[in-house]
Amino acid sequence: DYELIEGYGIKAKLENNIILAGNEKLMNNYEIDTKKYENEKNKLSNQGKTILYFAKDKLILGIIAVADTIKDSTYEAIKKIKEKNLEVIMLTGDNSLTAKYIGEKLKIDKIFSEVLPSEKEIIIKSLQSENKKVVMIGDGVNDAPALTRADIGVAIGAGTDIAIESADIILIKNDLNLILLKLRLI
């Protein structure tokens, strides 16, 4: 028995045990103490890694850290976007330490961390209420509502089907420099 808890992780039932895999918020919602791994979480998050917790019933089993690698082309693309006096904002479900690390490396203007999928859409709506035009780039299930809400939704071709279906533009190659070409064409 398996359930995806959007923005948090997964919950499964296995031989009458509740199995959880996901972020710290998921563990907190099920009153599972994560303090045992606090030092490791902070150390790994400060290196730009996302922490996933695993628990069985109320017992935490352990953690793993995962990280996206930043492509060299991403640095170049963000630099070029900013040269056009466009603001670069990151909306991420990652914790604040991980988001800060990535944001500083990429010289992101503004960071929203620990954001649920529905909150991404709300943030975009708020930006639009300030008369800003919003281009949202995403690749996951969690990005679909925001891709739909944005003035222009851009999905990475290697992303999930729902992200691709929700977007106005699909980048076939995983290279943000292509967004500059697309924006010139619009």
Side-chain angles (χ1 to χ4, degrees):
D1 193 17
Y2 161 82
E3 176 187 358
L4 172 65
I5 305 169
E6 201 171 291
Y8 292 88
I10 58 172
K11 173 185 172 186
K13 190 173 181 184
L14 180 66
E15 299 174 1
N16 295 321
N17 297 303
I18 300 296
I19 308 296
L20 299 170
N23 61 24
E24 190 170 16
K25 287 181 185 178
L26 177 68
M27 298 300 132
N28 292 339
N29 287 349
Y30 284 87
E31 299 175 349
I32 296 171
D33 186 8
T34 60
K35 287 185 179 97
K36 175 179 178 181
Y37 293 101
E38 190 72 18
N39 289 339
E40 289 90 347
K41 177 197 87 167
N42 289 336
K43 178 182 164 200
L44 294 165
S45 294
N46 281 321
Q47 296 171 3
K49 296 177 180 158
T50 300
I51 308 306
L52 299 174
Y53 294 85
F54 295 87
K56 179 179 175 184
D57 298 320
K58 295 284 183 182
L59 176 66
I60 191 152
L61 301 174
I63 63 172
I64 63 169
V66 295
D68 290 323
T69 54
I70 301 172
K71 294 181 157 218
D72 290 337
S73 62
T74 302
Y75 293 101
E76 180 184 338
I78 289 175
K79 181 180 175 205
K80 287 178 182 175
I81 290 169
K82 290 175 78 165
E83 286 172 356
K84 296 189 176 300
N85 293 319
L86 299 173
E87 184 178 22
V88 178
I89 298 173
M90 179 169 58
L91 304 176
T92 181
D94 283 335
N95 70 59
S96 58
L97 293 174
T98 301
K100 182 178 182 228
Y101 175 85
I102 300 296
E104 286 176 353
K105 282 191 80 133
L106 291 172
K107 296 182 173 57
I108 302 279
D109 296 313
K110 190 183 281 183
I111 301 165
F112 292 89
S113 60
E114 300 179 31
V115 178
L116 294 174
S118 60
E119 294 170 331
K120 289 181 181 182
E121 182 182 10
I122 291 167
I123 291 167
I124 288 175
K125 190 174 183 178
S126 173
L127 292 167
Q128 290 169 327
S129 74
E130 298 171 13
N131 292 320
K132 293 183 179 183
K133 297 294 181 195
V134 178
V135 176
M136 167 70 186
I137 303 170
D139 66 354
V141 171
N142 292 340
D143 296 322
L147 288 167
T148 302
R149 168 64 63 189
D151 295 292
I152 302 172
V154 180
I156 306 296
T160 62
D161 289 343
I162 192 154
I164 291 169
E165 289 172 21
S166 301
D168 302 302
I169 297 171
I170 301 160
L171 299 180
I172 301 302
K173 287 177 57 182
N174 190 6
D175 182 351
L176 291 183
N177 282 296
L178 294 173
I179 194 63
L180 295 163
L181 174 62
K182 297 291 185 188
L183 290 176
R184 274 185 282 174
L185 295 173
I186 294 174

